[in-house]
Amino acid sequence: KSIPNATNNVLLHREKRNIDITPLSYVPGGKIERYLGNLNFFFIRETTSIREEGGLSGFIHTFVTEVLAIVRAHIAALGGNAMVAYYMTECVFSHSLHKNQGQCLINVGGDVVFVSYYTEE
């Protein structure tokens, strides 16, 4: 028996090379294949050059960007390609602008998973 248009309903594997980080319990458009562990990090950053780093917002933006890059590197090192249930439970910032100093503490974490992505064609 022949099935008309059977190739139209085939799911093909879609390769995705970036690492997704989401606070959701799933990755939209993907299926969690393996759970690889839980990550929980505390990061501290201090500077004595707040003005040179673009002010308070520039310092915090750079720090959060670096934190996410480190988290993505750990996800990749564990063999994962996504983090679900991402959280940032603490972000403490203190500064002394007249001394050009600032400190920031961030706590982040989540579950590392391997996700397969499929697309309909």
Side-chain angles (χ1 to χ4, degrees):
K1 178 175 170 181
S2 167
I3 301 173
N5 297 328
T7 58
N8 290 342
N9 298 325
V10 174
L11 293 176
L12 300 173
H13 182 66
R14 178 172 55 105
E15 190 170 327
K16 195 171 180 185
R17 296 185 186 253
N18 58 336
I19 294 176
D20 291 325
I21 297 178
T22 179
L24 302 171
S25 60
Y26 63 96
V27 178
K31 179 184 175 199
I32 296 175
E33 299 289 338
R34 285 190 313 268
Y35 170 80
L36 300 168
N38 181 273
L39 295 179
N40 182 15
F41 293 111
F42 281 91
F43 294 100
I44 299 173
R45 173 91 186 260
E46 297 181 332
T47 186
T48 56
S49 58
I50 288 281
R51 287 184 213 101
E52 294 80 6
E53 293 184 28
L56 297 174
S57 60
F59 170 65
I60 293 172
H61 176 78
T62 302
F63 183 44
V64 170
T65 302
E66 290 170 354
V67 165
L68 290 173
I70 293 168
V71 169
R72 283 188 169 95
H74 278 272
I75 293 167
L78 289 171
N81 61 356
M83 174 179 272
V84 294
Y86 170 79
Y87 61 86
M88 180 188 293
T89 57
E90 194 157 352
C91 181
V92 178
F93 180 71
S94 64
H95 67 284
S96 176
L97 285 179
H98 66 281
K99 292 183 179 178
N100 203 22
Q101 296 175 342
Q103 302 84 29
C104 190
L105 165 76
I106 293 181
N107 173 226
V108 296
D111 296 324
V112 178
V113 294
F114 182 81
V115 178
S116 345
Y117 297 93
Y118 293 93
T119 182
E120 277 194 55
E121 289 188 0

